[in-house]
Amino acid sequence: MRVCIDIQAAIPQRAGVGRYTKLLVDHLVAGRGEDELALFYFDFQRKGMPFPVDGATWRACRWMPGRLAQQAWKRWNALPFDWFAGSAEVYHFPNFIRPPLARGASVVTIHDVAFLRYPETIESRNLAYLTSRIADTVARADAIITVSRFTAREVQDLLRIPAERLFPVPSGLDPAMRRPSP
């Protein structure tokens, strides 16, 4: 099976969702078995692959800025992601929102729903984007990963998602983050 991961969040961010995405890729490559792992990102400025990944294929869109594609996704729900990323059986979007797809199953990771619970704590542009796209995302996603059972319950309660579409997968601990033992 070919699984494509949108790694765009790992390019500008080295913490938060970007770190999650990078470490997810590292661990999926190690345990992928016969599956093919494909990575996609926009690289209009031609900076190259943002981090080395042995055992995965990658594809970059260099003919169109990612911001322009995102605007088409936000405003018109147009330009399917798979037109850029290529064909896959499953697409994973680790940064809350699922862009349009012409084909393939989709998995979305929702890290929290603070933008719904505490909207006053979220930057206004990010809040507008998340609140305008989250209903469509959860309606179209085949599966939703949350980073805890608590978040799964919040997603279920606030977004009315059936429990059978929610998969709490707690984040692991990066060995680099562990304290040395005495």
Side-chain angles (χ1 to χ4, degrees), residues 97-160:
I97 301 299
R98 176 199 182 274
L101 281 173
R103 62 188 173 273
S106 61
V107 176
V108 176
T109 300
I110 297 179
H111 300 269
D112 62 62
V113 287
F115 63 96
L116 296 173
R117 269 290 175 219
Y118 306 104
E120 68 278 4
T121 66
I122 309 300
E123 188 267 324
S124 61
R125 278 186 23 195
N126 199 28
L127 177 63
Y129 174 61
L130 289 171
T131 55
S132 70
R133 301 298 304 154
I134 197 67
D136 182 63
T137 288
V138 298
R140 293 177 183 233
D142 294 287
I144 299 165
I145 293 173
T146 61
V147 298
S148 68
R149 285 188 299 246
F150 174 80
T151 301
R153 283 191 304 272
E154 288 229 304
V155 167
Q156 188 176 10
D157 293 346
L158 295 172
L159 297 171
R160 310 277 190 251

Side-chain angles (χ1 to χ4, degrees), residues 1-61:
M1 175 180 355
R2 182 177 167 91
V3 177
C4 179
I5 300 178
D6 176 7
I7 63 165
Q8 196 68 42
I11 296 169
Q13 300 178 36
R14 296 291 181 231
V17 175
R19 183 174 186 83
Y20 168 87
T21 302
K22 163 74 169 79
L23 293 173
L24 174 69
V25 166
D26 289 346
H27 288 87
L28 287 177
V29 165
R32 77 184 185 288
E34 297 296 315
D35 294 327
E36 178 186 352
L37 188 61
L39 311 176
F40 174 79
Y41 66 105
F42 285 92
D43 190 22
F44 187 70
Q45 296 178 345
R46 292 175 167 62
K47 293 183 178 181
M49 183 62 177
F51 48 86
V53 180
D54 292 331
T57 60
W58 60 273
R59 183 173 180 173
C61 177

Side-chain angles (χ1 to χ4, degrees), residues 165-182:
R165 289 185 46 225
L166 290 167
F167 299 88
V169 181
S171 300
L173 181 62
D174 182 357
M177 304 299 277
R178 293 185 183 152
R179 291 185 181 162
S181 59

